[in-house]
Amino acid sequence: MPIRRLGQHVGEVVTVRGWVTHLRSSGKVAFVVARDGHGSVQAVLVKADVTPETWDVFARLTQESAVALTGTVRADARAPGGFELQLRDLTLTGPSPVDYPIQPKEHGVDFLLDHRHLWLRSARQAAILRVRSEIEQGIHDFFYARDFVRVDTPILTAAIGERSGLFSTAYFDEGEAYLAQTGQLYGEAAAAALGRIYTFGPTFRAEKSKTRRHLAEFWMIEPEVAFADSADNMRLQESLVVELVARVLDRRRPELEELERDAGALERVVAPFPRIEYTDAVRTLQSRGSNITWGDDLGAEDEALLVAGAERPVFVCNYPKEAKAFYMKENPADPRTVLCDDCLAPEGYGEIIGGSQREDDHDKLEQRIRAEGLPLDAYQWYLDLRRYGTFVHSGFGLGLERTIAWICGLQHLREAIPFPRMMNRLRP
Ligand code: 4AD
Ligand code: MG
């Protein structure tokens, strides 16, 4: 019986399976609190009511012992969750030695990360993973409702998508293969076949930076839409972000409470999000004391400074060409810039989405590939998309862990993914 369903079985005898979190005994009455991944329940064992064998099992229980608890469900307003079990049988199904590494005290984060496989059992980490799963489902539902087709793109690739660091591996007789930094280029090919697509998969960046906003392996959601321009693209991003936040508020309140997340800040996330041109953003930043100059990408500090005080995410649009990837479309109104946007989350979380209209002019794109020093032969297939029926199209990449960190109010991305991969962390 899952603990979350106990309320529907008051008065009945049921068996709950789970792991022990707390133990307490007065000598005549003993209490076992167990969790099963869905909830937590207190079970009461009265010495006079059970066999001596059952009573003796209690003495062998430790934190994290796996147990089967059989007893009558009783409503009790004082019990955590509102129900408790009056035990008639107690079985120790998986003993746990007393040296369980994670104790109810402060542990350093490196220690916790070394024990990530056990740390996941904490209420806080479980709450984060539930919110993560809710957001993932929300993303699938959002796109499904809008007739997008999910397309899975390769992880082993020959063409490079972004400028950040690459993981490479020997690939048979084909030379070097790179772990995908993005599925976008393949997503563009699929958009010409299916109209509206999205990818949902792991992406890899060998970035030698130990920041709280970077993982070596992270999950990205990349929609690509045929006949959509940059303005359409931002509207789609806005709808997605608003819907995800609303869904978590609607369905994951207990988890947000466990995380002590200020739900009020999330409730203020409504459309429309402000749109600021890069050139104006630079002026604002300079007036706020930043030493950014026109042409630079926005650093984490600039992003925080620009969004300071904002209650909603902010779009910064049309960055200088040099600051962005080769595939972005030149801005006809100012060819020094490209038609793109970064969506910056409030409360200092910074970029959660990068998006753009794609360069659909064959010659301009080829020129940009050359200028970036990329191997032209690896991009012939990508140029084909501009040879055979080129089309206006746009898309974006939403960083899943950045979005989770913001919605959950986490300080660091490492808690937003079950088993984080960072420069100095490959285990567990
Ligand atoms: O801005 P980025 O590099 O954009 C792309 O990869 C495009 N191909 C997306 C597209 O247009 N289809 O990355 C997109 C998002 C960022 O906004 C950020 O949220 C996340 O991916 N991201 C990372 N998340 C965690 N760790 C890293 N090292 C990240 N790098 C990017
Ligand atoms: Mg970006």
Side-chain angles (χ1 to χ4, degrees):
M1 174 73 55
I3 290 172
R4 72 184 137 85
R5 285 219 231 109
L6 289 182
Q8 296 153 29
H9 297 272
V10 176
E12 293 172 33
V13 175
V14 302
T15 297
V16 164
R17 292 188 176 80
W19 294 264
V20 171
T21 57
H22 298 91
L23 295 164
R24 181 159 58 87
S25 171
S26 72
K28 286 184 182 141
V29 183
F31 297 90
V32 181
V33 180
R35 73 178 148 75
D36 72 348
H38 297 284
S40 196
V41 69
Q42 172 169 291
V44 186
L45 190 68
V46 178
K47 192 174 180 180
D49 293 351
V50 295
T51 64
E53 292 74 30
T54 299
W55 179 257
D56 288 345
V57 172
F58 179 81
R60 292 193 281 128
L61 298 185
T62 55
Q63 185 190 347
E64 295 305 317
S65 296
V67 287
L69 305 166
T70 301
T72 312
V73 182
R74 286 199 327 203
D76 185 339
R78 292 163 306 169
F83 302 94
E84 67 177 25
L85 278 180
Q86 188 73 36
L87 286 186
R88 69 166 61 163
D89 198 9
L90 170 62
T91 316
L92 173 58
T93 54
S96 178
V98 289
D99 61 355
Y100 184 68
I102 300 179
Q103 294 295 323
K105 62 164 198 178
E106 283 287 315
H107 288 290
V109 74
D110 279 320
F111 178 88
L112 290 170
L113 284 169
D114 287 341
H115 295 87
R116 184 66 173 164
H117 50 297
L118 302 175
W119 188 23
L120 292 181
R121 302 182 186 191
S122 77
R124 176 183 161 83
Q125 298 308 313
I128 296 168
L129 293 191
R130 276 202 201 89
V131 173
R132 180 182 172 107
S133 176
E134 190 67 49
I135 291 174
E136 293 182 343
Q137 191 61 46
I139 291 166
H140 291 305
D141 290 350
F142 175 89
F143 288 114
Y144 189 83
R146 286 165 181 76
D147 287 328
F148 281 66
V149 177
R150 179 179 174 181
V151 171
D152 301 317
T153 53
I155 287 170
L156 291 166
T157 65
I160 305 162
E162 302 297 325
R163 285 175 173 172
S164 39
L166 281 168
F167 286 107
S168 62
T169 182
Y171 194 80
F172 306 110
D173 295 333
E174 295 292 308
E176 210 70 0
Y178 306 108
L179 297 189
Q181 299 169 311
T182 168
Q184 176 198 322
L185 308 191
Y186 300 96
E188 289 181 52
L194 298 156
R196 320 166 137 218
I197 65 93
Y198 73 106
T199 71
F200 195 126
T203 46
F204 305 87
R205 308 258 169 122
E207 278 164 318
K208 289 208 170 122
S209 56
K210 287 189 209 161
T211 81
R212 60 194 189 87
R213 309 194 320 149
H214 290 91
L215 295 168
E217 176 180 297
F218 64 100
W219 288 65
M220 193 160 38
I221 291 80
E222 297 185 272
E224 195 67 36
V225 185
F227 311 114
D229 65 14
S230 189
D232 300 327
N233 197 29
M234 281 185 269
R235 276 193 295 273
L236 187 67
Q237 294 165 46
E238 190 174 75
S239 311
L240 174 61
V241 171
V242 166
E243 184 164 311
L244 294 178
V245 170
R247 177 159 175 154
V248 172
L249 282 169
D250 184 35
R251 301 166 95 132
R252 293 292 158 195
R253 283 273 174 181
E255 284 77 10
L256 293 178
E257 277 161 29
E258 171 66 41
L259 297 167
E260 295 173 5
R261 178 68 169 104
D262 171 15
L266 296 177
E267 276 154 6
R268 291 189 284 275
V269 177
V270 289
F273 302 164
R275 286 138 168 89
I276 308 173
E277 288 272 332
Y278 168 87
T279 302
D280 296 329
V282 168
R283 248 182 253 125
T284 305
L285 284 168
Q286 286 167 344
S287 76
R288 292 182 183 174
S290 165
N291 48 25
I292 189 172
T293 55
W294 199 98
D296 300 342
D297 203 353
L298 266 56
E301 282 172 27
D302 291 317
E303 290 180 357
L305 194 58
L306 189 65
V307 179
E311 297 198 323
R312 306 169 187 192
V314 171
F315 288 118
V316 180
C317 350
N318 304 345
Y319 283 67
K321 211 177 258 178
E322 286 65 37
K324 291 291 176 189
F326 70 94
Y327 51 71
M328 297 188 182
K329 184 165 178 64
E330 186 178 280
N331 180 2
D334 179 357
R336 296 176 307 159
T337 65
V338 284
L339 295 175
C340 70
D341 70 272
D342 278 359
C343 179
L344 310 183
E347 301 174 81
Y349 281 91
E351 180 191 337
I352 54 169
I353 298 178
S356 62
Q357 191 169 326
R358 317 308 190 186
E359 184 55 78
D360 48 22
D361 181 290
H362 175 279
D363 295 350
K364 280 189 175 148
L365 181 61
E366 187 181 281
Q367 173 48 35
R368 289 280 285 141
I369 292 170
R370 285 182 199 281
E372 292 276 319
L374 296 169
L376 203 56
D377 57 325
Y379 294 87
Q380 286 306 332
W381 70 267
Y382 186 62
L383 285 162
D384 269 355
L385 308 177
R386 281 75 182 166
R387 279 190 199 102
Y388 303 108
T390 195
F391 59 119
V392 170
H393 61 291
S394 303
F396 62 88
L398 173 130
L400 183 61
E401 290 76 17
R402 295 255 184 107
T403 305
I404 294 165
W406 164 51
I407 292 179
C408 289
L410 312 178
Q411 288 305 306
H412 198 296
L413 290 198
R414 64 190 163 211
E415 279 186 274
I417 185 162
F419 294 96
R421 295 291 174 251
M422 295 175 283
M423 221 182 121
N424 55 352
R425 188 159 291 279
L426 188 58
R427 301 186 176 86

